[in-house]
Amino acid sequence: MVLEHYGIPTSPFAIINLDRHPDKPITPNVINALTKGSKHASSLLDPASYPLFAKPLAEDTSKGIKQISVIHNVNQLCQAIEELRLSTRAIPAILVEKFLAGREFTVGILGTGDDAWVLGVDEIVWNDQVNGDSDVNVDVVRFATEKSKTSEDWDGIADEIPANRADPLVERACTVALRAWRAIGCRDGGRVDVRFDASAGVANVLEVSDRPTESVMP
């Protein structure tokens, strides 16, 4: 919401506060009731907005993200919310957002305010694309899960490689990352994760962390 206030792109989202209906089954009507306070709810829950993405509101390292997190219809949305409610009891809210299918970058930043600068950029590269695996469906949805993040080398699913700063999309990712870093008032060093909307080519902020990531920090 802070980034949205400053006009920094993020995926349209709604927050589902599960503590308001702790024992009721998750149905489309319950989801509509729990998201009616979000300004994006009506457009986000429109069938034309799918696929969506669901994850715990406050977690790290892709915890709580599974294959069910990518959602293609309202029935899958209900199932995903129900499973997340059962598996993440400590987190009373779920974030539902428009799924971003474009390229993903981790931008390492040093400094504070106007003196902040990009130290390095990594791109998340999916190994089936790199290896040209002919058995992989070209329409497969690629995203990091809790399993891939907790296994060595992303469980062989993906890797992080240095990005080419001469690539216009990389520079776009760096620009929006710096804007987010400064808007939130981050200091010293950390990272900003950015993912593109494949259809519009817009760099959206996924996460801002004031903890350095080894791959883009010396």
Side-chain angles (χ1 to χ4, degrees), residues 155-171:
D155 197 34
I157 296 171
D159 204 352
E160 293 185 69
I161 63 172
N164 180 5
R165 293 289 297 273
D167 184 334
L169 256 66
V170 176
E171 277 305 297

Side-chain angles (χ1 to χ4, degrees), residues 115-149:
D115 293 328
W117 56 284
V118 173
L119 176 63
V121 191
D122 276 357
E123 180 171 5
I124 310 301
V125 177
W126 305 97
N127 289 335
D128 55 35
Q129 295 173 315
V130 173
N131 298 330
D133 190 341
S134 59
D135 294 329
V136 174
N137 186 336
V138 294
D139 295 323
V140 69
V141 178
R142 298 174 175 87
F143 62 98
T145 65
E146 182 176 350
K147 179 178 183 294
S148 66
K149 282 289 191 71

Side-chain angles (χ1 to χ4, degrees), residues 3-214:
L3 297 179
E4 195 172 53
H5 172 76
Y6 285 102
I8 298 169
T10 62
S11 185
F13 67 92
I15 296 173
I16 298 179
N17 292 300
L18 298 176
D19 54 351
R20 296 181 185 173
H21 292 267
D23 300 317
K24 288 186 177 181
I26 300 298
T27 66
N29 287 338
V30 168
I31 290 175
N32 285 333
L34 294 178
T35 58
K36 65 181 180 181
S38 169
K39 76 174 191 176
H40 297 297
S42 59
S43 60
L44 192 65
L45 298 177
D46 187 287
S49 293
Y50 288 91
L52 303 179
F53 197 79
K55 59 186 179 183
L57 178 63
E59 274 293 7
D60 192 13
T61 322
S62 295
K63 290 179 181 177
I65 295 178
K66 307 175 183 179
Q67 291 301 318
I68 62 161
S69 293
V70 173
I71 297 153
H72 297 277
N73 56 59
V74 69
N75 290 329
Q76 289 183 6
L77 178 59
C78 293
Q79 292 168 5
I81 298 302
E82 187 66 59
E83 185 165 330
L84 284 168
R85 175 167 69 173
L86 293 174
S87 62
T88 56
R89 288 288 188 183
I91 306 297
I94 302 298
L95 179 67
V96 177
E97 58 190 359
K98 173 70 177 173
F99 179 69
L100 303 172
R103 295 167 67 184
E104 183 174 339
F105 299 93
T106 294
V107 182
I109 296 177
L110 285 179
T112 303
D114 291 338
D115 293 328
W117 56 284
V118 173
L119 176 63
V121 191
D122 276 357
E123 180 171 5
I124 310 301
V125 177
W126 305 97
N127 289 335
D128 55 35
Q129 295 173 315
V130 173
N131 298 330
D133 190 341
S134 59
D135 294 329
V136 174
N137 186 336
V138 294
D139 295 323
V140 69
V141 178
R142 298 174 175 87
F143 62 98
T145 65
E146 182 176 350
K147 179 178 183 294
S148 66
K149 282 289 191 71
T150 55
S151 301
E152 185 176 355
D153 194 27
W154 287 63
D155 197 34
I157 296 171
D159 204 352
E160 293 185 69
I161 63 172
N164 180 5
R165 293 289 297 273
D167 184 334
L169 256 66
V170 176
E171 277 305 297
R172 223 180 296 171
C174 293
T175 298
V176 76
L178 275 174
R179 288 180 62 202
W181 182 266
R182 290 164 176 159
I184 294 177
C186 296
R187 304 179 63 85
D188 301 328
R191 62 175 173 80
V192 179
D193 296 335
V194 175
R195 186 156 176 151
F196 279 81
D197 181 328
S199 59
V202 175
N204 293 263
V205 174
L206 291 180
E207 180 181 351
V208 180
S209 175
D210 59 1
R211 293 182 301 170
T213 181
E214 293 178 1

